[in-house]
Amino acid sequence: MNPTQASSITVTPLSFFLDFKNATSVPLNETVCENWREIHHLVFHMANICFAIGLVIPTTFNLHMIVLRAMLTLGCALFIIWATLFRCALDIMVWNVVFLLVNLLHFIYLVYKKRPIKIDKELSSLYKRMFEPLHVPPEQFQRLTGQFCNIQILKTGQAYAAEDKTSVDDRLSILLKGKMKVSYRGHFLHNIYPCAFIDSPEFRSTQMNRGEKFQVSITADDNCKFLCWSRERLTFFLESEPFLFEIFKHLIGKDITNKLYSLNDPTLNDKASQKMDQQPSLCSQLSVMQMRNSMASSSDSEDGLQHFLRGTSTASSLRNNQQEFYSSCGASRLQHDAFC
């Protein structure tokens, strides 16, 4: 390489920087727009108005995300029309086609999530009375009642659970229609009305201890219809649904509290039970089976039962024993409240 070629190579970068310096030192009046272009077509402005409307919708509005996506989709469609028919800009059209598809898919998904969920007619009263006041969405309730539970029927006199025979580990049920009665050794304890758990005390008391039997008998006093879950599958499902798990804890605790009150007042009817809205506390953690069996906790009540079973007690002594039993239930309840 001769010296002339070397000098030309070394001079070229210097001349480039000098030209760039001269290019950037243009007078100020030459960089300012003196002649503005004409205003764009109305379609362009309509697209921007759609974007503005979508962005100013407050988040407190229930359907704000759906409206936002709808406005963005409409705005992108107008931009495509403007870029294709009035601007002839391929890049603007392509980008807005991409944005249009993204927003349209999101809009369809949000509308699908907001679709009305049709709850089975047999379960609608259960949902409105127990789950809707706790803000359980219909789709979650549908999942809860759709896959691993079934509706079963008991005729009058048929047994849901037999004392010391039926296992408590198999199921959890809510009464939908009819009336059931709970008895212990032939003595009536309380009734179970629609939209109440049938075996909530056993469900709570045996969460840690499996293999136990019902300590009471539960029979249908009318033709009954109830919703029955497989306990194992329900437990597995609730572990994956923290919100529903807390809802079930609340409902079962509340149901146990209502049963505690009904032990003190066996004449409690369905309308009165609907008005009971006690918050679950430590009271709901204790097993009602102990309350149901409280007649056997005192020697007087046990003696009365033995006399009753032997058929040797008179009507007056039986009446006295029943009074002692309910008194013992009341005393246990007072001690229970004092503890809570």
Side-chain angles (χ1 to χ4, degrees):
M1 181 181 295
N2 55 36
T4 304
Q5 292 176 340
S7 63
S8 64
I9 294 175
T10 56
V11 169
T12 301
L14 181 60
S15 62
F16 172 77
F17 285 116
L18 290 175
D19 293 341
F20 179 76
K21 183 177 179 181
N22 294 332
T24 56
S25 60
V26 178
L28 182 62
N29 58 357
E30 295 185 9
T31 62
V32 178
C33 295
E34 295 181 353
N35 298 321
W36 292 89
R37 293 186 178 182
E38 69 280 0
I39 297 176
H40 288 296
H41 194 272
L42 180 62
V43 176
F44 174 85
H45 299 289
M46 293 297 296
N48 284 283
I49 290 174
C50 290
F51 291 154
I53 293 174
L55 294 174
V56 299
I57 295 174
T59 56
T60 54
F61 180 55
N62 188 28
L63 302 176
H64 77 280
M65 284 302 299
I66 294 180
V67 177
L68 171 61
R69 292 295 174 175
M71 290 294 101
L72 293 179
T73 302
L74 182 59
C76 290
L78 293 174
F79 261 126
I80 293 172
I81 295 173
W82 171 75
T84 306
L85 301 180
F86 304 101
R87 188 69 179 179
C88 299
L90 181 62
D91 51 349
I92 298 177
M93 184 194 70
V94 170
W95 277 112
N96 280 277
V97 167
V98 174
F99 297 150
L100 173 67
L101 293 176
V102 171
N103 286 287
L104 182 61
L105 291 175
H106 204 162
F107 172 76
I108 294 173
Y109 171 72
L110 293 175
V111 171
Y112 175 77
K113 286 184 64 177
K114 286 290 184 179
R115 75 193 188 282
I117 303 297
K118 187 177 181 180
I119 298 175
D120 190 274
K121 186 180 296 185
E122 294 179 322
L123 302 177
S124 59
S125 60
L126 174 68
Y127 174 73
K128 291 179 180 179
R129 180 168 169 181
M130 295 183 66
F131 292 90
E132 188 177 32
L134 298 177
H135 306 289
V136 176
E139 56 270 18
Q140 277 194 322
F141 179 77
Q142 193 176 50
R143 292 206 311 272
L144 177 66
T145 59
Q147 297 180 355
F148 46 89
C149 68
N150 52 51
I151 296 177
Q152 299 183 12
I153 296 175
L154 282 181
K155 294 183 179 180
T156 304
Q158 289 185 329
Y160 174 85
E163 185 177 336
D164 295 328
K165 294 181 180 180
T166 307
S167 173
V168 301
D169 295 335
D170 298 333
R171 56 187 175 175
L172 176 68
S173 304
I174 295 180
L175 186 62
L176 300 176
K177 182 182 178 182
K179 184 176 70 172
M180 291 184 173
K181 65 178 181 180
V182 181
S183 59
Y184 174 75
R185 299 187 183 182
H187 279 235
F188 170 77
L189 296 182
H190 63 84
N191 289 317
I192 300 175
Y193 295 100
C195 297
F197 285 94
I198 299 175
D199 44 6
S200 58
E202 288 75 17
F203 180 81
R204 176 60 60 86
S205 65
T206 57
Q207 283 182 333
M208 300 301 294
N209 301 318
R210 295 298 182 93
E212 295 188 4
K213 305 293 183 181
F214 275 87
Q215 299 301 306
V216 295
S217 295
I218 305 176
T219 56
D221 209 22
D222 294 324
N223 291 332
C224 296
K225 186 179 294 186
F226 60 92
L227 181 68
C228 182
W229 283 280
S230 166
R231 177 170 177 164
E232 183 177 356
R233 297 183 67 182
L234 175 63
T235 303
F236 179 77
F237 174 78
L238 293 179
E239 287 177 354
S240 63
E241 295 284 348
F243 174 68
L244 285 178
F245 177 75
E246 296 299 325
I247 292 296
F248 257 74
K249 284 176 59 179
H250 170 85
L251 290 175
I252 290 176
K254 178 180 174 181
D255 186 79
I256 291 175
T257 305
N258 290 343
K259 285 181 171 58
L260 287 171
Y261 279 99
S262 64
L263 278 172
N264 290 332
D265 185 8
T267 62
L268 191 70
N269 56 25
D270 187 28
K271 292 183 179 180
S273 65
Q274 290 184 32
K275 297 179 181 179
M276 295 174 63
D277 192 18
Q278 303 295 328
Q279 294 294 330
S281 61
L282 289 178
C283 300
S284 64
Q285 305 295 328
L286 300 179
S287 173
V288 176
M289 288 196 301
Q290 297 177 358
M291 298 294 293
R292 286 173 172 171
N293 301 336
S294 61
M295 62 172 67
S297 64
S298 63
S299 59
D300 294 338
S301 298
E302 183 63 29
D303 291 340
L305 279 174
Q306 291 177 358
H307 287 309
F308 174 79
L309 294 175
R310 289 197 302 266
T312 58
S313 60
T314 63
S316 59
S317 64
L318 177 59
R319 196 175 298 112
N320 292 333
N321 287 329
Q322 288 178 337
Q323 292 175 354
E324 291 174 1
F325 160 62
Y326 290 123
S327 298
S328 66
C329 287
S332 300
R333 176 60 185 166
L334 291 174
Q335 294 175 358
H336 194 244
D337 290 339
F339 170 74
C340 293

